[in-house]
Amino acid sequence: MNQFPTQIHAILSLVDHINPVQYAQSRNFSSGHISRLGPYISRGVITPRWVYQRLRTRGFSAKECFKFLQELTWREYYQNCWEFLGDKLFDDLKHPQGDHVRKGIPQCFFDGTLGIEVLNGALEDLNQSGFVHNHLRMYLASVHTNFAECDWRMGAKWFYYHLLDGDIASNTLSWQWVAGTFSNKKYWMNQSNMNHFFDGDQQGTFLDTEYE
């Protein structure tokens, strides 16, 4: 399957199949409604303003578009941060990641042997198709950066290398957000959370514990 068609009529069709109401309700789930517009927006083929106007023309209200437009706006904000910060984008922006950060990437990420079925599947998708659901991107970033305590920069570079819809600003600052270097807290999850959003029932993993 071609994840990201390049013909203009196919791109416009993607836009016209977006349902912002369904997106707001289901985007975090494995079978949820997502847009796949990232590469076209980041490379200037279409703009968030144009997408929003297209949705309004199709009859969606501003309230119905809010969550979807909010996510598009985050991407624009990340681009503006990159323009303002330049190479400082790749430094810890608000808080240091930690005093004992490991370099490199754990071997289990290359082997697909994290011991968690949902994440092993995400790594396989990343290698085979160059696309991973956004919620899974956060999970993988958290395991690499917060649980394994590895440098978020290495993880971000590795991820960007594989992503067909890779956007330097969005990818880099999303990893910083997960690591807590661009936010006020780190992003954590557990096995129950992954099972809920990705139709799993796995138990007994290193993430099968309460948040506390």
Side-chain angles (χ1 to χ4, degrees):
M1 175 183 176
N2 186 356
Q3 297 281 353
F4 301 108
T6 56
Q7 300 85 0
I8 189 62
H9 71 273
I11 297 171
L12 297 180
S13 179
L14 283 177
V15 176
D16 286 339
H17 278 85
I18 293 170
N19 184 316
V21 177
Q22 292 180 6
Y23 176 88
Q25 295 172 344
S26 67
R27 68 189 181 90
N28 284 327
F29 290 85
S30 58
S31 58
H33 190 77
I34 57 177
S35 73
R36 300 183 186 272
L37 297 184
Y40 311 114
I41 293 175
S42 65
R43 288 151 179 81
V45 178
I46 55 178
T47 67
R49 181 184 294 275
W50 181 86
V51 173
Y52 173 63
Q53 291 172 341
R54 189 87 170 182
L55 291 173
R56 294 302 306 274
T57 300
R58 289 171 53 207
F60 292 104
S61 69
K63 183 178 181 180
E64 289 173 321
C65 294
F66 177 77
K67 186 59 184 178
F68 181 68
L69 185 63
Q70 185 181 51
E71 296 303 311
L72 293 181
T73 304
W74 272 114
R75 185 177 289 272
E76 288 291 283
Y77 172 66
Y78 291 155
Q79 290 291 333
N80 289 333
C81 286
W82 188 19
E83 182 178 355
F84 177 76
L85 294 167
D87 287 344
K88 291 183 179 179
L89 183 82
F90 307 105
D91 297 332
D92 294 344
L93 290 176
K94 290 186 176 182
H95 309 284
Q97 182 180 346
D99 297 328
H100 304 287
V101 179
R102 298 181 176 90
K103 302 299 181 183
I105 298 170
Q107 186 63 40
C108 58
F109 276 77
F110 298 112
D111 299 339
T113 56
L114 273 69
I116 298 175
E117 295 166 359
V118 169
L119 299 186
N120 289 342
L123 290 171
E124 184 176 358
D125 288 341
L126 180 65
N127 286 318
Q128 291 186 357
S129 71
F131 180 79
V132 179
H133 191 289
N134 187 64
H135 209 168
L136 291 174
R137 299 183 192 200
M138 295 166 58
Y139 290 157
L140 290 170
S142 186
V143 170
H144 172 276
T145 302
N146 300 331
F147 288 93
E149 298 182 340
C150 293
D151 191 334
W152 67 263
R153 297 167 186 80
M154 296 299 296
K157 288 180 181 179
W158 159 72
F159 222 61
Y160 179 74
Y161 175 84
H162 285 86
L163 289 173
L164 287 180
D165 66 337
D167 175 285
I168 290 178
S170 182
N171 183 65
T172 301
L173 292 179
S174 293
W175 275 75
Q176 287 227 46
W177 182 84
V178 168
T181 59
F182 190 50
S183 59
N184 292 323
K185 61 180 181 180
K186 298 177 182 293
Y187 173 77
W188 302 95
M189 77 294 184
N190 63 11
Q191 187 67 51
S192 176
N193 180 280
M194 286 188 289
N195 288 345
H196 172 68
F197 285 105
F198 288 87
D199 299 321
D201 57 6
Q202 191 175 8
Q203 298 178 347
T205 72
F206 69 91
L207 290 178
D208 192 10
T209 184
E210 299 296 325
Y211 276 98
E212 291 77 12

